[in-house]
Structures are given as C-alpha cells and as structure tokens.
Amino acid sequence: MRAYDMTATEISQRVHRKEMSATECVREVADRITALEPLVGAFLHLDVQGALNQARAIDALSDDERQQMPLAGVPVAVKDNMTTMDMPTTAASKILEGFMAPYNATVVNRLKAAGAIIVGKTNMDEFAMGSSTEHSAYQLTHNPWDLSRVPGGSSGGSAAAVAARMVPIALGSDTGGSIRQPASYCGVTGLKPSYGRVSRYGLIAYASSLDQIGPLARSVDDVALLYDIIAGYDPLDATSIRAETARVSEGPVDWKGLRVGVPKEYLSADLGGVVAQRLQDVITQLEAQGASVLEVSLPHTAYAIATYYLIAPAEASSNLSRFDGVRYGYRASGADLLEMYENTRAQGFGPEVKRRILLGTHALSAGYYDAYYLKAQKVRTLIRQDFEQAFALVDVILTPTTPDVAFRFGEKSSDPLQMYLSDVYTVTANLAGIPAISTPAGLADGLPVGIQWLGPVMGEDRLLQVARGFEELWPSSTWPGLGGEA
Amino acid sequence: MNSGYDVIIGLEVHVELKTQSKLFCSCSASFGAEPNTHTCPVCLGMPGVLPVLNEEAVAYAVKAALALRCTVHPFSKFDRKQYFYPDLPKAYQISQYDQPLAEYGAVPIIVDGHVVKEVTVRRIHMEEDAGKLNHLGIRLGDAKGSLVDLNRAGVPLIEIVSEPDMRSADEARLYLTELRNVLSYLDISDLRMEEGSMRCDANVSLRPHDYVGSLEDLPRVEIKNVNSIRNVQRGIEYEVARQAELLARGERIVKETRGFDDQNGRTYSQRSKEEANDYRYFPEPDLPPLVLTQEAIERVARSLPPAPTVLREELQQAGVTAKEAEIIVGDRALWEYWREATTHYEDKRQVTNWILSDLSRLLNAHGDTWLTPRVTPAALADLLRLIANGTLSGRMAKEVLDRMYESGATAAQTVEAMGVSQITDHGAIQAVVQQVVADNPHVVQDYLNGKEKALGFLVGQVMKQTKGQAKPDMVNAILKGVIADYAKT
Ligand SMILES: [Zn+2]
C-alpha cells in the first residue's frame, strides 16, 4: 500500500509503530503531488523541501514524543486563507500576492503540535467568495473526477487535493457551504463545526459571524481525527466557545433509535433529478436499517439565501476594508491618498469580491441598514429557531448538500445569481451556527453525489457517529484515477 | 452678551485610559515610545487577526462611569465605525454605538466652592484610539507623504458625551475642569490635554430667542481637538462671537467642523458636515456583547475613592474655607499633600495657610507641581512645629522654608546651618535690650514723652543686634520692662 492511499489514521499508526517514517510518507506524497498537480491545480503554494524538513524533524524525535502526536507524519493541505509563517498566505487574491504573515493561524499551530506536516496551501475562490474556485485570482482547480468540471468552492483546492489522494486530510473554511459543497462535488467528507468550535484566529475573515474552519478527508474517521485536533477554546478568539470538545465516540450508531428529519422545504422543484433520487435511495436505506425518517419543517428556508447574501457581504465589506495598500500587500500608485486607495482596491480585488463589497456596503449604508442588515439579522434568528424546534423532534436532519453534481467550468460563473442559489442547502447551517457534514453517497454518471447531515449546536459528536454509520452503509469504494493510473 | 439668543454648548471628551495594554491586544499602551514599536498583528490590522477585550480597560471605564454618576449597563456591545484613513489600520474603529457602556451621569459646575449647576453626561462608551500621522508637509492633502505611527492605534479610550447643557464658554471651562478633577482621583488616565490623553471637541450653536425647533436641528459647529481647557474656552468665545455676528448680519450659520488656532485665538473651517462620512456602523461580529454582572458593577462602586464634592465638604468641616477647599481638591496632588501634611501636624488651619501661601509661591517660582514638591509634607510639619515651640518666628520660618526648598534638607538641619534659631533666653535678650537702651537715651526719652514710634526703633535695634533671632514678643515685653526701670532711675 502506498502512503498516498492511506488514511491519516493509518499513516499516524504506522509512523507511531515505526513501520513507516514520516520522511518516507512525505516523499511518496510529494511525488504524487508533483505528478498530479499539473492536472488538478489544487495548490497555490507547495513546499516539498519544507515538508521533508518537518518530516525529518518528526523522525528525529523520541518514540515517546512521536506517540504523543496524533498526526505524526501526516501530510496536510491548508486552505490559503489560513496564515502560515513559513509559506505565503494570499486568500487567492492579487491584493495579498506574496504576503508572508508574521503569525500562524491557531489551527496551523495545532496541526504542527500534533505532528502534521503542512505540504502546501490550497487554491480557493478569492477571499472564500464563490462556489467553484473559479474566482481564484491565480488558477483553476480541476475536479479530479472530471477535469472539465469545477471542484466546487470556495475550498475547492482542499477538496480536490483530498479526492486526488494528494493528501489524506485538508483544512477548509465554510461561510455558507465552502467546505461541504466542494466535499460533495469531489466525493469526500467535509465537516463544518458549530460556530465557535474552532478558533478563527489567523483565518482571513470573509464573514466573521459565519466563518468556521473545518476538516475534509476521505473517511469520517479522518474527519473526526482532524476535528479533534483543531477544535477547542482559543483565548485569541473571543467568539470561540469555552467548552470541552467531546471526543468523538467510537461506538456504532444505533439506527433503530435514530430519528432522522427531512425538511420538506428542501425538497423543492429546483432539486436536480439525480440528487433527489439519491436522497430518496438514502432514506429508503436508512428506513431499512430501522431509522425513523420524519418530515420536519424549517419554515424560513425560503429567506435563507437572501439573508445570507445580506449578512455575509455586509461583514465582508467591512473585513476587506483593511486591504488599503497602506501597510502590506499590493499597493497601486496614485496622485493622492484617495486615488491610491481606489487604484489599489480596483486592481487588487477580483470582480466577485468587488461585487460583494458593493452589496455589503450598500446593505450597511445610512437609510438602508434597517431594511437590509437589521432585517436579515432578525430573519437569521428565526432560522436558528426553526432548527431549535426541529431538533426537539429529531436527532439529525438529512438534506442534499447541493442541488446538483459538479458543473463545468464557466457554466455558472457568468450568472452570479445562479451561483448564489446553489448554496440553498448549506447556508442555513452557518446562519444557525449548527454543525453540518457532507458525506459521499456514491456516484451518478461517474460524478460524486453528496448528502448533508445537520445536528444541533455542539452536536458534532453525534453527527460524526451518524456519518460514520452511514459510511459503513454506503462506502466510497473507488477514487478517481488520474494521470493514467487505475 | 446679546439678548437675542442663547448659547448652546455640548462637549465630547475623549480620555485615554492608562492600562498596561491596549484595548484589544497585549501591546503596551504607554505614550512616547519609538514609532511603531508598540504594535502587533492585531493593532496593525493584519489579515485574520481578532480582537480580545482588555478586562482592565473595562474596569477603568466602569470606574469613570460610576464616578461621573452614570448608570452602567449590564449589557452593552461593540460596533464597527467604518472609514478609510491611514491612521486606522482596519479601516474601522471598534467603538460602541447604540448600546454604550453607561448613560445619564452628571458633572457639577462649581463656582467659589459651590455647586451652581449640573451638566448631564449623556453617555460614556469605550473605543479604541487611532494611530498618528506625521505629515511631511502642512496638511495631508498637500503633503509629499505621511509617516504612520501606530503605537497609539488600539489604546483604550472612553468618550464622555455631555448634553448641550452649557450656556457659556466659562461653563464649558468649569465642566471640563471638574470632569478632569473627578477623573484625576481614579488613576485611570494621565488626563494631559497637551499630550492628547484627554481631548475635547466642543459643539457650539446659538439659539435665537424666537427659535421654535429642536436643539438637534440648530446648525451646529464642532470645534475639534483643542489642546487645553483654556483654549476650549477661547475657541468657544470666538465661535460665539463669530456666529453672533453672522446672525446680526442676517447670514446663515453653516453646520461644519472647525479647528482652533491658538496663535490668533480664532477658529477656522475644516470641512462642512454636509459631506460627512456615513460610518456604516454595525455590531462587531468578532466580539461577544459586554456583559457585566450587577455584583461586578457594585464591586467597582465600592472601590471608588470619595468624590471631589465629598472631599471639599470634609475640608470645610476641618476649617478650610470653601474657596481654599476648591483650590486644594482641584489638584489631586495638592490634596494628597494637604492630607499627608495634616496627618503629621494637627493644626489644619496653619497647614492650609502655609501650603496655599508660601509653599505654593515656591512651587510656582520653581515651575514645580504638587506631584514633585521639594519639601515633603513631613518636613513642612517639622517646620511648623519649630514655629509652635518658639524656635522660629513666622518670618524666620519663611526664610527657612525657602532654604529647605532649595536644599531639600530638613527644617532642623536648615535651622542649624543658617544659625537662625530664635533667641528665647530671657537673660540673653535682656542683656541686649539693656545695651540698646543705654546706647539710645534720646530715643528712650522720646518714647517716654509719648512718641510711640520710638519703641519700634528700639525693637529694630535689638533685632539687628540679635540678627533677627530674638523672639519678637519677648523683645517687646522685655524692652518695655527695661524702659520702665530706666524711667524710675
Ligand atoms: Zn498590538
């Protein structure tokens, strides 16, 4: 078995048992990345030499020290909106080209302390704004299952890298579905934790009240492993929760006692045939296992997209104001201060980012604030209450992750609204602050179909247990063959 | 003043809190370091960093709010005030907008030691300071460039907003004086207007007597960033006169922001408010709301020092006049000096006299303040004891104090060094007196003939021969006795 075929759990076990050195692992993985990267384009920055150095350092530790590291020798890819002191952090934007942060994101420090080896920074939609990674200022990332299709976004690079077996695990960030949608398109598992579970320190903010970092992997166990490392209170993030993260329970899920809710509002006419059919198959299978599948109602679902596209751009317009050319990043010249600001931001930001800054600035303007931002916050509260009421009746909620499977390049990028609407099933979890996980449910015409499981706030433990149970019922048996391999 | 209008003044005061660290990061909040040495990714506004609220700053702000008799809200929140400027790294200032920390307090206006009016404090909120720009030219617009120093960026501030309750420049001065006085007892700020640790913006408008609209709708002129209380008063005086003249000419007063030129005492237009920013306030999503328990608020309340009004009363009960009490309590360092001196020496009247006359004169002459008096309260008390026990006359004590102030020596050391201790030995004085009487028979005769002045001359001679050290009342008594004896012979 090659290192790149192994899960993170397997790699760390072998490194702990000295059946494989971290250096061997990284070398094999680096070879594969080098071979496949020209096809996939998952990485904005690769640091093979740095990764080998880190691996050698892990190998040089005592056995005891290594055993303390749950991710000893495990290669990890990190989305390029999390700061790393030893690699550039650009958020796929020209305005941060070559930016070297003088601090690591908390998640990066946690990964390093756990013995993980960060091999590179993955491509994304600029500042995490997009659903296809086409809005990267630098390159396209191709879906490993079909190179003519998008990997989803905004964590497209991370999802593609995991699906292409370039790395076993990766970090993404999710503001309205940016982990789950690419996980679904790439046939991998992706978790968006409860808001406040994972420190946002060092995550370049898109929408502060919605952003959350989470893991992507080819197995639920790996997602849980990585989640355990990154979750937990961080004094550097005032919104992080002071709660113990319950260790994900190992036991199998008892389908017979499980109440699974399916929101009727999510089964609308927009739902593509293939995804609707697959969801039905899953429901049938769960019922066959003895689960009770109940219809639940989330009455404010219809307002979710509008709410999200007011709150997220409003916060983004503010968060992105700091990119003004004064202290770091790209600076254009200008005759005076105002012109310097204008040129810097006109040249430094891509069209989608500008669109959202304009939307958000408008939503916060005097005279519009009450009608837009304030109203959206009120609806957000209603959406959160919808979920609280639903979770009084069911343990988990099952939904599609996306209305359709991965689309082709350019198919939706010409129509922003169409692109926004495809976030319909994912944005609610961010608005409500609840955990959500997308797991693969087989292929349709050779393309992965994902389903989404939602849990109550702080309910990651149960959610992961259910996802693992489902993985056993519906295993992903094949991975995309790339570069002529089987 | 013109009888055709009322002067309406409201003040916004920013006070920098002297906490160890900044409001949202662990950088030092101290003043005067090399540019950009008190900075970190958080206060530089780098990507991905997050603010963490400084609890010490909250405690200071609550202290100020309670001392200004505000209601402190158990629930307040932070908001972003957004505008682009190079001294504002995130392009937004974290402030408090619609739910401030505290509201509805009061500052007394004190004249001759008596409260004549109370100005309402509308609100107090917390916010972070911006950095500083050093323009390589006169103003940003025509500068070749500007150097940004972000040491101050993120230093905690409280903004204290008054109601437009003041009706004259003098009231504004008295409000600021008392506000600063109250805060000075809390140890939460340097309160130095010249260094910017206390800053004042004054809103000035004139309300014609026939005006029927709301105060809000009056065209208001804001005088920005004046660097002393005296200049706030001057700026308002100028502004009132300027606006009165405009009204007299039937012209419109434009709502605008004006600066104050302390060279010529005039205000000048900076920008008109019509083109003011839309700050796009919205709740700061990176910070949870600020929740204070009633217990925590009460704990701070219990830790507050007595208010200046209480201190003034205490002083008056100790026999200090209202006016003196105002002077003493009006300078915290002076009050502390007074308090310590009176623990060393119980005649509070005497202590007060010496502090407010001779010691004050010496401080002024040397350009010192009560923070660094060169004669300690204990040393002053020692000196007063030497007067009480007759070692020194009042006049000699003044000379001794002068010398003590120069040298820093104790009263006893100084007395010895100067050789000035008072001669109280009856025999010694009598010997000199007898000599003087013998040497000046004509003068003695004049005195015996009813010429009162002649006695003064004889006293003067005695003092001269004793180098001023003879105890004056003894000299008088002994002299009269000797002359009486002389007359009998
Ligand atoms: Zn700092």
Side-chain angles (χ1 to χ4, degrees):
Chain A
M1 196 184 200
R2 309 303 301 251
Y4 56 76
D5 279 325
M6 296 175 195
T7 64
T9 314
E10 286 163 345
I11 291 171
S12 64
Q13 275 170 4
R14 285 181 195 224
V15 170
H16 286 157
R17 291 190 208 121
K18 300 220 271 188
E19 292 162 11
M20 176 174 67
S21 71
T23 313
E24 281 172 273
C25 173
V26 167
R27 208 164 257 140
E28 278 189 37
V29 163
D31 286 350
R32 180 169 175 90
I33 293 173
T34 311
L36 297 185
E37 180 58 7
L39 299 172
V40 179
F43 287 91
L44 288 176
H45 186 82
L46 267 173
D47 186 10
V48 172
Q49 198 49 53
L52 282 170
N53 291 342
Q54 287 177 61
R56 279 191 276 268
I58 298 282
D59 289 332
L61 295 173
S62 72
D63 292 0
D64 272 0
E65 286 170 311
R66 234 182 346 264
Q67 312 242 322
Q68 299 300 313
M69 298 177 154
L71 293 178
V74 176
V76 182
V78 173
K79 190 177 180 180
D80 201 35
N81 58 352
M82 299 170 214
T83 56
T84 43
M85 292 172 75
D86 49 8
M87 294 181 208
T89 303
T90 70
S93 180
K94 284 281 176 213
I95 212 158
L96 279 176
E97 188 157 18
F99 174 70
M100 293 297 291
Y103 46 94
N104 281 330
T106 295
V107 288
V108 167
N109 283 332
R110 285 179 173 237
L111 284 177
K112 286 179 182 262
I117 290 156
I118 299 172
V119 296
K121 305 292 288 289
T122 56
N123 196 22
M124 55 186 285
D125 288 297
E126 184 179 358
F127 286 107
M129 297 176 186
S131 311
S132 66
T133 312
E134 291 169 290
H135 295 305
S136 166
Y138 297 101
Q139 67 195 41
L140 290 178
T141 296
H142 300 260
N143 191 316
W145 295 89
D146 177 347
L147 297 176
S148 69
R149 291 176 189 266
V150 303
S154 65
S155 310
S158 287
V162 171
R165 286 169 289 159
M166 295 163 130
V167 284
I169 52 177
L171 287 183
S173 68
D174 191 316
T175 306
S178 280
I179 289 173
R180 293 159 286 157
Q181 186 254 22
S184 171
Y185 281 8
C186 291
V188 301
T189 302
L191 170 71
K192 182 208 90 76
S194 305
Y195 185 77
R197 265 294 198 208
V198 179
S199 169
R200 293 184 295 117
Y201 188 83
L203 171 68
I204 297 179
Y206 160 20
S208 312
S209 73
L210 302 163
D211 294 342
Q212 194 60 190
I213 293 170
L216 295 104
R218 292 191 300 276
S219 76
V220 176
D221 275 339
D222 274 9
V223 163
L225 177 66
L226 185 49
Y227 166 73
D228 266 342
I229 303 295
I230 60 173
Y233 174 69
D234 178 10
L236 297 179
D237 177 358
T239 63
S240 87
I241 294 166
R242 284 176 194 265
E244 286 297 308
T245 43
R247 272 206 76 89
V248 180
S249 38
E250 300 287 331
V253 65
D254 177 11
W255 292 112
K256 287 192 176 58
L258 196 74
R259 296 167 302 167
V260 179
V262 178
K264 60 178 181 194
E265 291 84 0
Y266 283 39
L267 304 174
S268 65
D270 320 342
L271 187 56
V274 55
V275 175
Q277 186 52 52
R278 187 57 48 88
L279 187 68
Q280 205 47 61
D281 296 346
V282 169
I283 290 170
T284 307
Q285 175 70 275
L286 294 181
E287 282 175 331
Q289 299 299 315
S292 42
V293 179
L294 313 162
E295 188 180 272
V296 291
S297 177
L298 301 169
H300 296 92
T301 299
Y303 308 106
I305 290 283
T307 303
Y308 175 81
Y309 278 99
L310 284 169
I311 292 173
E315 292 180 6
S317 72
S318 175
N319 288 330
L320 270 58
S321 294
R322 69 187 61 198
F323 303 106
D324 57 6
V326 173
R327 284 145 296 127
Y328 50 79
Y330 178 73
R331 178 195 286 187
S333 56
D336 57 19
L337 178 70
L338 189 63
E339 208 179 293
M340 186 281 280
Y341 280 155
E342 288 171 350
N343 292 345
T344 296
R345 291 168 66 83
Q347 294 163 27
F349 289 137
E352 182 60 27
V353 172
K354 286 180 200 162
R355 181 153 40 235
R356 296 196 194 192
I357 289 174
L358 286 173
L359 271 173
T361 304
H362 183 66
L364 292 177
S365 306
Y368 296 96
Y369 178 85
D370 289 0
Y372 291 144
Y373 187 78
L374 194 63
K375 179 73 80 52
Q377 287 292 12
K378 288 175 180 166
V379 177
R380 182 178 185 174
T381 303
L382 296 175
I383 289 171
R384 186 180 296 133
Q385 288 167 355
D386 281 358
F387 279 104
E388 281 165 12
Q389 281 155 19
F391 284 121
L393 305 173
V394 296
D395 302 308
V396 289
I397 290 175
L398 174 68
T399 79
T401 307
T402 58
D404 219 327
V405 294
F407 51 88
R408 293 179 192 281
F409 289 105
E411 205 174 300
K412 290 189 181 175
S413 52
S414 57
D415 184 353
L417 193 59
Q418 192 57 36
M419 191 88 96
Y420 296 170
L421 289 173
S422 68
D423 298 337
V424 59
Y425 304 121
T426 48
V427 295
T428 49
N430 302 82
L431 291 169
I434 60 175
I437 189 167
S438 177
T439 57
L443 304 177
D445 296 331
L447 293 173
V449 179
I451 55 161
Q452 177 179 234
W453 305 85
L454 304 164
V457 172
M458 302 288 116
E460 283 87 349
D461 179 25
R462 189 62 180 278
L463 201 59
L464 285 162
Q465 202 186 21
V466 170
R468 190 197 286 115
F470 179 72
E471 187 180 53
E472 283 162 16
L473 286 182
W474 212 297
S476 301
S477 46
T478 60
W479 294 101
L482 282 160
E485 60 164 9
Chain B
M1 279 282 152
N2 189 315
S3 60
Y5 54 80
D6 290 324
V7 177
I8 310 287
I9 300 162
L11 299 179
E12 289 166 20
V13 176
H14 284 91
V15 172
E16 247 178 33
L17 303 178
K18 56 174 181 188
T19 48
Q20 284 287 306
S21 52
K22 294 186 179 180
L23 188 52
F24 299 117
C25 63
S26 54
C27 290
S28 165
S30 68
F31 175 82
E34 283 295 298
N36 295 311
T37 53
H38 290 178
T39 56
C40 74
V42 174
C43 56
L44 290 174
M46 298 198 98
V49 297
L50 297 168
V52 177
L53 182 61
N54 177 349
E55 296 295 335
E56 191 187 17
V58 176
Y60 281 21
V62 170
K63 249 183 168 180
L66 291 173
L68 295 170
R69 292 153 52 196
C70 288
T71 303
V72 174
H73 296 303
F75 183 98
S76 65
K77 68 177 177 65
F78 290 92
D79 302 275
R80 293 183 182 178
K81 177 183 180 178
Q82 311 192 68
Y83 58 95
F84 285 92
Y85 207 61
D87 66 5
L88 192 65
K90 302 184 293 297
Y92 57 81
Q93 177 194 32
I94 303 178
S95 181
Q96 295 190 294
Y97 182 50
D98 54 349
Q99 290 180 277
L101 178 74
E103 289 179 289
Y104 299 112
V107 172
I109 301 282
I110 293 155
V111 176
D112 289 339
H114 302 287
V115 176
V116 297
K117 175 175 186 169
E118 291 213 319
V119 172
T120 300
V121 172
R122 170 72 188 77
R123 55 181 276 156
I124 296 180
H125 67 255
M126 302 180 70
E127 60 187 27
E128 56 180 339
D129 209 344
K132 255 187 174 157
L133 292 189
N134 298 304
H135 304 313
L136 307 171
I138 312 296
R139 282 173 34 227
L140 188 56
D142 43 52
K144 292 247 186 304
S146 297
L147 299 175
V148 184
D149 176 6
L150 295 174
N151 281 350
R152 208 181 63 182
V155 166
L157 293 177
I158 49 174
E159 182 174 343
I160 302 160
V161 183
S162 84
E163 291 285 16
D165 285 353
M166 287 152 277
R167 294 290 171 269
S168 68
D170 208 41
E171 277 188 7
R173 173 182 64 83
L174 291 167
Y175 168 84
L176 286 175
T177 304
E178 183 61 9
L179 176 68
R180 182 158 72 176
N181 193 204
V182 170
L183 297 180
S184 74
Y185 284 86
L186 307 179
D187 266 332
I188 58 167
S189 171
D190 289 335
L191 299 168
R192 294 209 181 106
M193 286 188 81
E194 65 285 2
E195 281 178 7
S197 53
M198 176 168 161
R199 306 195 278 272
C200 180
D201 304 332
N203 288 298
V204 182
S205 45
L206 299 190
R207 179 176 58 190
H209 285 158
D210 54 2
Y211 177 79
V212 288
S214 73
L215 282 185
E216 281 297 306
D217 296 334
L218 276 176
R220 191 163 60 228
V221 170
E222 183 173 24
I223 313 172
K224 274 269 185 212
N225 269 333
V226 190
N227 64 2
S228 70
I229 292 181
R230 172 81 190 113
N231 281 340
V232 172
Q233 185 184 9
R234 290 173 70 204
I236 294 172
E237 279 165 357
Y238 177 83
E239 192 52 33
V240 169
R242 187 187 70 86
Q243 291 185 25
E245 205 178 305
L246 286 173
L247 287 182
R249 287 205 303 260
E251 287 178 39
R252 197 169 75 94
I253 295 163
V254 185
K255 182 176 181 177
E256 62 179 344
T257 300
R258 297 177 74 88
F260 177 73
D261 182 342
D262 62 357
Q263 297 299 310
N264 63 18
R266 293 179 190 167
T267 66
Y268 56 91
S269 182
Q270 284 182 322
R271 64 183 155 88
S272 96
K273 276 263 169 159
E274 271 91 17
E275 59 194 66
N277 282 309
D278 171 3
Y279 291 120
R280 289 174 287 118
Y281 279 102
F282 79 107
E284 165 58 276
D286 287 332
L287 289 170
L290 175 55
V291 177
L292 298 166
T293 63
Q294 208 56 50
E295 191 200 338
I297 297 168
E298 279 160 18
R299 200 162 45 236
V300 177
R302 282 195 297 273
S303 77
L304 285 183
T309 41
V310 175
L311 298 178
R312 282 187 204 102
E313 262 169 46
E314 283 175 9
L315 259 64
Q316 290 184 50
Q317 275 161 21
V320 176
T321 69
K323 218 163 174 186
E324 286 169 339
E326 191 185 342
I327 294 168
I328 293 170
V329 176
D331 179 341
R332 179 182 166 187
L334 168 55
W335 174 76
E336 281 175 351
Y337 192 98
W338 183 91
R339 192 189 50 174
E340 198 182 331
T342 51
T343 61
H344 290 294
Y345 192 77
E346 68 179 23
D347 184 345
K348 296 188 169 70
R349 196 50 263 166
Q350 181 80 331
V351 170
T352 306
N353 289 343
W354 277 81
I355 285 179
L356 291 184
S357 58
D358 292 280
L359 202 47
S360 288
R361 171 179 54 79
L362 284 165
L363 252 69
N364 288 337
H366 289 82
D368 293 336
T369 70
W370 289 103
L371 289 169
T372 53
R374 300 193 214 175
V375 172
T376 64
L380 177 68
D382 286 342
L383 180 69
L384 299 187
R385 263 189 286 280
L386 293 180
I387 301 172
N389 70 17
T391 309
L392 293 176
S393 66
R395 199 176 54 75
M396 285 157 65
K398 285 182 206 293
E399 282 170 32
V400 172
L401 184 65
D402 284 357
R403 194 69 80 82
M404 284 167 70
Y405 203 91
E406 300 285 350
S407 66
T410 65
Q413 287 166 344
T414 310
V415 165
E416 192 176 328
M418 290 170 73
V420 290
S421 82
Q422 190 164 251
I423 299 167
T424 53
D425 182 86
H426 193 277
I429 295 174
Q430 191 163 32
V432 177
V433 168
Q434 279 165 343
Q435 188 59 51
V436 167
V437 168
D439 290 351
N440 298 280
H442 301 293
V443 182
V444 174
Q445 200 51 58
D446 286 350
Y447 172 71
L448 289 172
N449 290 343
K451 212 172 165 190
E452 283 288 328
K453 265 190 181 169
L455 188 69
F457 173 81
L458 295 171
V459 170
Q461 290 302 304
V462 175
M463 296 309 284
K464 194 171 166 188
Q465 297 216 7
T466 59
K467 296 186 181 122
Q469 293 169 10
K471 196 164 187 267
D473 52 346
M474 286 178 73
V475 171
N476 266 306
I478 293 169
L479 187 59
K480 281 178 181 165
V482 169
I483 290 173
D485 291 345
Y486 176 87
K488 285 176 204 160
T489 57

